[in-house]
Each structure stands twice: as structure tokens, then as C-alpha cells.
Amino acid sequence: MINIKALKDAARTIRGLSIDAIEKAGCGHPGLPLGCAEIGAYLFGHALQFNPTETTWLNRDKFILSAGHGSMLLYSCLHLAGFDCSIEDLRQFRQKNAKTAGHPEYGHLAGVETTTGPLGQGFATAVGLALANQLLKVQFNLNSLINSKIVVLAGDGCIMEGVCAEAASLAGHLALDNIIVFYDSNDISLDGPLSDSMSENTQKRFEAYGWQVETINGHEFLEIDQAYQKAKKANKPTLIIAKTIIGKGAPNVEGSADVHGKALGKKEAELCKKNIGLDPKQFFEVSEEVKTFFKKQSIKQKKAYEEWSTNYKVWEQSHPKEAEKIKARCENTVPKNIEKEIEKLEIKENIATRASSQAIIQKLHDLLPEFIGGSADLSCSDSTKIKNSSDVNKDNFNGKNIKYGAREFAMADVAAGLALQGIYRPFIGTFLMFSDYMKNAIRLTALMKLPVIYQFTHDSILLGEDGPTHQPVEQLAGLRAIPNLAVIRPADSNEVKGAWLEALKTKSQATALILSRQSAKDLEQTSMHDVKKGAYIVKDVKEADCAIIGTGTEVDLALKVANELEVEGYQIRVISMPCQCYFDAQATAYKNKIIDKTIELYVSIEAASSKGWHQYIGRDGLCISVDEFGHSANADDLRDMYGFTVEAIKEKIITRLTQVKQNETLYTT
């Protein structure tokens, strides 16, 4: 039975704490905390299974505030429920170095399960968390020990975002019965009435996806409880459409867009607190009755955790190997022999780097049980398929291949959810061109320091006849601009091995592998072990007239150009730079050794945008690049068209060297 009186007091307290924190900050979003206080009180005061002192409990329910702007709802609930979120933390809402950031940020505060704010992405990441738990339960035969739910609170903005549609469709297809979404349906969006921009039947849409849908009064505890209990028993995902009043209790602005995204103001805050039965002159108040209620709830939760822990220990004793595997996965370590195993792996000669990567993926499947892959309907082309494993579907959660369908954005968020759960090491794939669909999810993944690996193939205009719609130009520069994302464009199979090794070693950085469709010659000069340096010399001379920096398949081209220039009497250094950010992180002495300022001319060769290259080659450097959209033609014709031939580049370098020797000041490429 639910204690309605205690939950009403809790909801009132959530409203009061939210008002006070937002008013003290002078900014924030009071609409959702005021409108969803009953949902928050019910979940944290009755329904959710967690232990606030053991926040990594494998079987805890996880609450995801997809509508992250309403963060004070979450922070108020975490405080009341006994998490490490003090009244002082609430007072510091939105302030410098506070745990209680403007939008919930993963890693800042226990109980925040993922970073949210960009609408819809919390919903999609939650699907990944739910999928991870299903995989864990089935693959380790933990049906009696893993019964937790992923519970989401989403708003109208989340429901309207395309990523939500993609993720909901996938969750329904997989029949993920461990995800429950509360939809805060208040008929108001930031710009005004929802009817101005949305008139769909959300219930029918989600039912078409394969979801169970319930509609309730989001302010009535009995209705909330009935819907939640029904959702727990469902054999499919559940959407609970909770009809609420945004800003409930604020007499002059409730039910309007005005209460969505700005503080109430002193007068309205006082009226609201008085209206809901709180003293307007008291701030950050939690009554003794509410404290006692949550303490009793905490005792129940800790007891449930202890009972589960006892049962888990029994399981460990009877399944020692499986238990050790779970422990190792939680530590996120790679086998000690992985470097030797990758190094000695035999790969067919002179193949596309996507094909080299596919060979490595098969080996990694044998070495890393936590390794799990997937593709946006392109595994046969982006070479992400694990050949010795089945596909995940609603009847089979033993597989290691996830068919995401043409849902790139959701795929990237689901992969983040898989990584957040901590048991799986996800990699996903699509064409580099389509990384644009995923960009915001990649950004959040990098922000959360999650080691997701992206395999982006068809890396340049040299993919050929599919034309400019599929030929990436600006994507490399855009990805390189994302902090904490290692973008690696390997030259050949040696560097592909090194790229995978570095991607797997990290526990706190996302990695994008940029791979070719066109063949890549295996080069004697490249090194698997030097990829970690970001850039290294593959051809050196005593007194270089010029240094050429290449990436990907253009490293081979750079070496050929250097050889031709030497016939003309020039001395040329060649540098492979697979990863700019790895190079940027090296010691100054090493960077000065590779980019030697005594060399008068630096040249970069990359079949992509020139953006970002002049920080390495200097403003007077020569950039062989593509700064316009491509064409539909075969690769050889494109090389000729854009000057990616030995003869064309050689002539440009000779011309520029002549200009340099004449001491001309150059400002353009």
C-alpha cells in the first residue's frame, strides 16, 4: 500500500525546494518540478529500487530525467531519498563547481545516471541501459537476480524529437519490458501551447511501435501507482501519459509557457508557496515528518539490497567463473595479452582499412566477452559484423550484433547507455557521412567520458560513384573539434591495429575510427605502436627541404610524392598523423621533434576539408585538401579532378618551395 499522505507531503517539499533553489540561482526551469512533483515523490518515496549508500548496485532501478531542464525535481528527490546531495548542494544550484548543475551531468552527483538536457537523448540512452540489463540477465542467466527497471521522465520536447521516435521504435521492436517512460503531458511547450506545433495521437504512435500505453492524471497517486504496477508486469515497454499542469501551484503562471524556463520571481514564489501550504518566509525546509518518512523508506531499501546481496553471493559461489567475469567487466580492463594478440594477427595484404578493422573485430570478439557491436543497417558495408555471433532480437539476447536499423542518432545514444551500464564495451558503425546524424549523441558521450567506439567508413571523396551526398568533406574537421573524442584515421592495417588498441585501452574517452572503402597499401614504414603518439616520422632525411604530413590512405601518396621529389633533388620528411589529439597531448619536446620549425615548408595531404591543418603546417603551409562538395565519378577520376596524384602534388610543392626560397610571404593555400 502506498502512503498517500506522506507522498503528498513529499511532493509539497519537492515543490518548495525547487522554488527556493531556482529563486536563489535567479534562473532555472520551475515548470516541470512543480508539475511533476507527485511523480517524483512516488518514484523516490515508494516505487524505485535503490540503495542511496550503494549507488553502483547492479540491480538498482535507474531514473533518467530526459527532460533535463527540470533538474531541480531530480536534485530535490535525491536529497530527500538520502543520496549525497545536501541542502547546501541545493543552495548552490547552477553555481560554479556545484554538483547541482543547470542540467544533470553524469559523474557530478550520485543518482544522476546520465547527462541529459538535449531533449530526447535521455530517452534514447535509457533504451541502451534497458537493453544492457536484458543482455546481462540472459547472458549470465540472472533472471532471479536482475529485475530492475529503467524509469524515464520525458516531456513534450523529448517526445517530439526524432531521436525519441528512433529509440522508441527500436525498444518496441526488441520488446524491452524493463523500461517505463512517464510522459509529462502538460500540453505546453517552451514557445506556447503544444497545439501550435503538435497534433499527433502519441498513444497510437507508441502502440504502433509495440509499446503498452496508459493515460493517467499525473497528480493522483493511486492512478500513478496503478499504471506503474501494470507496467512492471508488462511484456513490452510502457509509456505512461501523465496529464499534468505545468507550474502547478503558481497561481498566475501555472498552465502557461511563462513558467517553463525562468524563475518565478519573489512575489510569485511567495504566492506559490503559500498556495501549496508552505511558509513563504522559510527556505529549503524539510519537515521532520518528511525526513522520517524517507528514513523509513531508506531502511526498507537497504534491507532489500542486503537480501539481494546475500542471494548474489550464493549465486557467486555456484557460478564462480561467471561472477569473476562480471567483476572484471565492471573494472573495465582489457586482457594483458591483447597487444601481442593484435600485433600477431594476420591480415590480408593491401586491403581497405575497413576490411582490416573487420578482421580485428573478429579477434576482439574472442578476446573480449564484453565486446558488442552494431550498425545502422550497414554491417555488410561498414564491416562491423561479428561473424561468429548471432544478432540480438526479442527472442535472443545472447547475440553480440545489434541491428539498429537506419536509426543513427538513437544508435549512438543506445551505445552510450550500453557503456553507462558498465558491463559491455560497445562499438557501432556507419558511413562517415552519416556521423552528422549522430553528432549530438557523440558530443554527450564524449562529455560523459564514455569509451564508446565509432567505426566510420567510406572516409573520403575517394569512395567514388555514390557522389557528393555520400562523400564526406567537412566531417573530419567537425569530429576533431569535439573535446575528448579521439579521431583516428589510420594509413594501413598496422595503424588500424594500433587504433583499435588505443581505443580499447582508454576508460574515459570516446574514439572514432575513420576507415577507407578504397584499398590501402601496407607500408613498411608504419607502426602499430606509434599510433598512440598521434604523429610520427615514416620517412626522414638529414636536412629536409619540406615535410609532408599525411593521414589515412594519403600517407602512401605522401611517400610516393617524396620519392619523386628526391629524384628532382629535394630532401623530404614524411609524417603520418593518424590522430591529431593524441599528438597534441605529447610532450613539447616530442612535438618539436616531429614538427621541426627549421623546416621551411610543411605540406598536409588529406582528402577532406583543410580546416584545422594550418595549426600544424603554419599559415604559409601548403594544404592539399577538398574544400568543396565532391562529384559522382570513379576514384581515379576524382584523384585527377582534385589533384590527389603524385604529379599534381609534386608540381605544387616545387612551386611553393621556389616561392619560399624567394622569401615570398604567403597567406593562402
Side-chain angles (χ1 to χ4, degrees), residues 318-582:
S318 59
H319 300 81
K321 291 183 179 179
E322 288 83 354
E324 189 60 34
K325 287 178 181 178
I326 290 177
K327 181 180 178 181
R329 290 193 189 189
C330 289
E331 293 172 353
N332 197 14
T333 56
V334 295
K336 293 180 180 179
N337 66 335
I338 193 167
E339 186 165 346
K340 289 184 179 179
E341 290 295 322
I342 292 177
E343 185 172 23
K344 71 181 184 181
L345 177 66
E346 292 186 7
I347 297 177
K348 187 178 178 181
E349 293 182 352
N350 303 326
I351 57 176
T353 52
R354 65 169 174 170
S356 297
S357 183
Q358 185 170 54
I360 295 167
I361 286 170
Q362 311 316 310
K363 185 65 176 178
L364 292 175
H365 172 250
D366 298 332
L367 294 171
L368 300 171
E370 64 268 35
F371 202 52
I372 188 165
S375 174
D377 201 39
L378 285 170
S379 64
C380 58
S381 189
D382 63 26
S383 303
T384 50
K385 178 80 170 179
I386 299 174
K387 297 178 180 178
N388 292 328
S389 181
S390 59
D391 296 334
V392 172
N393 60 56
K394 66 179 181 179
D395 299 314
N396 175 35
F397 288 97
N398 279 305
K400 293 295 183 69
N401 294 298
I402 302 170
K403 289 196 170 184
Y404 288 99
R407 305 182 182 100
E408 291 88 354
F409 196 169
M411 173 177 72
D413 277 323
V414 169
L418 290 169
L420 280 165
Q421 189 246 21
I423 302 296
Y424 292 94
R425 194 67 193 270
F427 71 96
I428 54 176
T430 187
F431 295 171
L432 177 56
M433 184 69 240
F434 303 144
S435 65
D436 285 344
Y437 284 129
M438 305 160 57
K439 193 68 67 67
N440 210 276
I442 296 171
R443 185 178 188 275
L444 281 191
T445 299
L447 176 62
M448 289 189 280
K449 300 181 180 180
L450 301 177
V452 175
I453 300 170
Y454 310 98
Q455 176 153 312
F456 294 129
T457 65
H458 297 60
D459 67 348
S460 74
I461 60 166
L462 299 178
L463 67 88
E465 289 85 352
D466 279 336
T469 60
H470 284 54
Q471 293 168 0
V473 174
E474 74 278 16
Q475 283 66 33
L476 266 171
L479 290 170
R480 285 170 176 154
I482 298 175
N484 202 43
L485 174 68
V487 180
I488 312 176
R489 187 172 184 241
D492 63 2
S493 61
N494 285 329
E495 289 194 353
V496 176
K497 288 180 177 181
W500 266 109
L501 185 62
E502 294 310 309
L504 291 168
K505 281 181 179 179
T506 182
K507 296 182 181 182
S508 58
Q509 186 177 41
T511 304
L513 307 179
I514 312 299
L515 306 175
S516 72
R517 179 194 184 195
Q518 67 273 17
S519 297
K521 181 182 177 182
D522 288 323
L523 304 171
E524 294 180 2
Q525 302 93 328
T526 56
S527 166
M528 161 185 159
H529 302 286
D530 284 335
V531 169
K532 63 186 176 185
K533 299 175 183 177
Y536 61 101
I537 298 169
V538 292
K539 184 182 186 301
D540 208 3
V541 291
K542 287 185 177 180
E543 294 184 5
D545 298 299
C546 168
I548 304 175
I549 306 173
T551 77
T553 50
E554 285 81 78
V555 174
D556 178 37
L557 178 58
L559 287 166
K560 290 176 178 176
V561 170
N563 291 335
E564 287 292 315
L565 285 169
E566 286 189 351
V567 173
E568 302 281 345
Y570 295 96
Q571 296 295 300
I572 308 296
R573 170 183 287 183
V574 179
I575 300 162
S576 175
M577 186 178 278
C579 183
Q580 292 182 358
C581 74
Y582 286 172

Side-chain angles (χ1 to χ4, degrees), residues 159-160 183 197-203 205-206:
I159 297 299
M160 286 191 282
Y183 167 24
S197 59
M198 183 175 171
S199 55
E200 69 175 35
N201 188 320
T202 301
Q203 177 173 336
R205 174 159 71 95
F206 273 75

Side-chain angles (χ1 to χ4, degrees), residues 97 127 173 387 515 565 666:
N97 297 326
V127 171
H173 173 72
K387 297 178 180 178
L515 306 175
L565 285 169
L666 306 168

